[in-house]
Amino acid sequence: MKTTFLENTCELITDGTHYTPPDVGEGFPFLTVKDMSTKGLDFVNCSYISSSEYAKADAGNSSPRIGDVLFSKDGTVGKVHVVSEKNEFAILSSIAILRPKKDVLDSNYFGHILRSPTTLDQAIRRKTGSAIRRIILKDLKRVKIPLPPLEEQKRIAAILDKADAIRRSRKEAIRLTEELLRSTFLDMFGDPVTNPKGWNLGKLSDVCKKISDGTHHSPPIVSEGIPYITAKHLKKYGLDFHSNPWFVAETEHKKIYARCNPEKGDVLYIKDGATTGIAAINNYNFEFSMLSSLALLKVGENLTSEYLCDWLNSEN
């Protein structure tokens, strides 16, 4: 498939204002990277600037139009938004404005391509600076993207839009299921901290046959071999071996597995890092290795994996 540089597909590649206008609390929205998310643009909590400041931003091509693609290039690189909003707003220089040539590049296809791991990897490898990491526009222009015919772009974008809608629906279903599970758990067993039902208390070490964790050194990651997981591979709905799979050599696996041998039905628990506190049940029969950011809990005869997992995931 034909590939080309971004600068060949856009009639405008620029960024927002290189100064921060005063926030006057009303007027025109003024957005920074913090106002971009996967849900869209935040016009509620952003700053608001005067009509004169907006006019200056608009004159300097710092006010996006419908069909433009926004790309965060400072600090958190890689947030993407295809502009469909009719209201006028301006942005700070931490966000790039990419205006596709309508006869060359479809905006929705462009948005999906910019979110792809391949394109993001190109962009991130071009980051410069020490205090605040950023991509400068001349480097962003040299990022390459695949460029099929325009009609094919639209067809691809439509398919990816449907897939994204399904993904969001699934994510919302998982969230609602988690809320239901938390509510049901509290109804059945009460608050795990205050213990209003007066259940007997015991230590995990009393009700688990084994409590361990993964390797305390980071083995070399290889292209194929034995699956290897860290905290990022554990979700409340289970283990994710597919989104970003890692592997270690069999020799490394044997050394790790001798210490920590996860089996089907064991509970794994994130104990290090920002996501500490999440637990999931291992529902797989095959062997895998894990890092020490994960704890392994093998339940004894007086405890079920399901109860322990829900107890560990309880907010209290």
Side-chain angles (χ1 to χ4, degrees), residues 181-182 185-186 189-195 199-205 207-208 236 267 269 277-281 297 303-316:
L181 288 172
R182 282 196 294 268
F185 185 91
L186 289 174
F189 302 108
D191 185 336
V193 175
T194 60
N195 192 21
W199 302 111
N200 291 331
L201 300 177
K203 297 178 181 177
L204 279 179
S205 57
V207 292
C208 290
K236 283 188 179 179
V267 175
Y269 180 75
I278 296 177
I281 298 173
L297 300 102
L303 181 67
T304 68
S305 298
E306 291 77 11
Y307 176 82
L308 176 59
C309 187
D310 285 340
W311 187 85
L312 290 172
N313 281 326
S314 165
E315 289 183 1
N316 292 340

Side-chain angles (χ1 to χ4, degrees), residues 6-7 13-15 18 71-75 77 93-98 122-129 132-143:
L6 287 191
E7 62 184 348
I13 297 179
T14 187
D15 55 14
H18 284 239
F71 184 86
S72 63
K73 65 182 185 64
D74 292 7
V77 171
S93 59
S94 54
I95 303 173
I97 300 175
L98 309 172
Q122 283 189 71
I124 289 169
R125 282 192 282 110
R126 293 174 180 271
K127 286 202 298 187
T128 61
I132 300 177
R133 302 284 285 169
R134 58 171 56 90
I135 300 173
I136 58 177
L137 289 178
K138 73 171 185 177
D139 287 335
L140 185 59
K141 292 176 181 179
R142 302 302 289 174
V143 168

Side-chain angles (χ1 to χ4, degrees), residues 205-274:
S205 57
D206 296 332
V207 292
C208 290
K209 295 184 292 186
K210 180 176 182 178
I211 298 177
S212 183
D213 58 9
T215 176
H216 284 240
H217 77 281
S218 297
I221 303 301
V222 296
S223 58
E224 58 182 29
I226 307 298
Y228 174 74
I229 63 170
T230 68
K232 69 180 180 181
H233 297 100
L234 190 146
K235 316 294 181 185
K236 283 188 179 179
Y237 57 80
L239 302 179
D240 181 4
F241 288 98
H242 307 292
S243 298
N244 185 17
W246 282 12
F247 302 93
V248 294
E250 188 171 358
T251 52
E252 291 287 343
H253 168 68
K254 286 181 178 178
K255 290 186 286 186
I256 299 170
Y257 201 72
R259 164 190 171 82
C260 179
N261 58 323
E263 299 171 302
K264 187 174 182 179
D266 290 346
V267 175
L268 304 183
Y269 180 75
I270 300 177
K271 65 181 187 65
D272 294 355

Side-chain angles (χ1 to χ4, degrees), residues 40-61:
L41 302 179
D42 183 358
F43 291 104
V44 176
N45 300 302
C46 66
S47 300
Y48 279 81
I49 60 176
S50 66
S51 56
S52 60
E53 288 290 354
Y54 172 76
K56 286 163 58 178
D58 188 40
N61 286 323

Side-chain angles (χ1 to χ4, degrees), residues 9 36 42 48 50 67 71 82 89 99 104 111 122 166 175 177 179-180 206 265 270-272 282 285 289 294:
T9 65
M36 295 179 67
D42 183 358
Y48 279 81
S50 66
F71 184 86
V82 180
F89 64 97
R99 186 165 297 158
V104 174
Q122 283 189 71
I166 293 171
R175 185 188 68 80
T177 301
E179 284 187 5
L180 177 61
D206 296 332
I270 300 177
K271 65 181 187 65
D272 294 355
N282 173 29
N285 275 318
S289 284
L294 295 174

Side-chain angles (χ1 to χ4, degrees), residues 75-212:
T76 304
V77 171
K79 293 184 180 180
V80 178
H81 179 74
V82 180
V83 178
S84 60
E85 293 80 5
K86 293 181 180 179
N87 51 312
E88 297 174 313
F89 64 97
I91 60 173
L92 188 64
S93 59
S94 54
I95 303 173
I97 300 175
L98 309 172
R99 186 165 297 158
K101 296 176 182 176
K102 293 182 179 179
D103 59 341
V104 174
L105 184 60
D106 176 73
S107 295
N108 289 326
Y109 169 81
F110 192 22
H112 284 294
I113 288 300
L114 287 174
R115 295 185 191 99
S116 71
T118 302
T119 305
L120 284 176
D121 182 61
Q122 283 189 71
I124 289 169
R125 282 192 282 110
R126 293 174 180 271
K127 286 202 298 187
T128 61
S130 54
I132 300 177
R133 302 284 285 169
R134 58 171 56 90
I135 300 173
I136 58 177
L137 289 178
K138 73 171 185 177
D139 287 335
L140 185 59
K141 292 176 181 179
R142 302 302 289 174
V143 168
K144 277 189 171 184
I145 62 168
L147 194 69
L150 195 58
E151 287 305 311
E152 179 66 7
Q153 293 178 33
K154 293 178 180 179
R155 187 186 73 83
I156 292 171
I159 293 171
L160 293 176
D161 284 342
K162 289 180 181 178
D164 193 47
I166 293 171
R167 179 191 61 80
R168 288 197 300 270
S169 296
R170 181 173 180 267
K171 189 174 181 180
E172 177 64 8
I174 290 171
R175 185 188 68 80
L176 293 173
T177 301
E178 288 176 353
E179 284 187 5
L180 177 61
L181 288 172
R182 282 196 294 268
S183 176
T184 303
F185 185 91
L186 289 174
D187 286 343
M188 293 178 66
F189 302 108
D191 185 336
V193 175
T194 60
N195 192 21
K197 303 198 177 204
W199 302 111
N200 291 331
L201 300 177
K203 297 178 181 177
L204 279 179
S205 57
D206 296 332
V207 292
C208 290
K209 295 184 292 186
K210 180 176 182 178
I211 298 177
S212 183

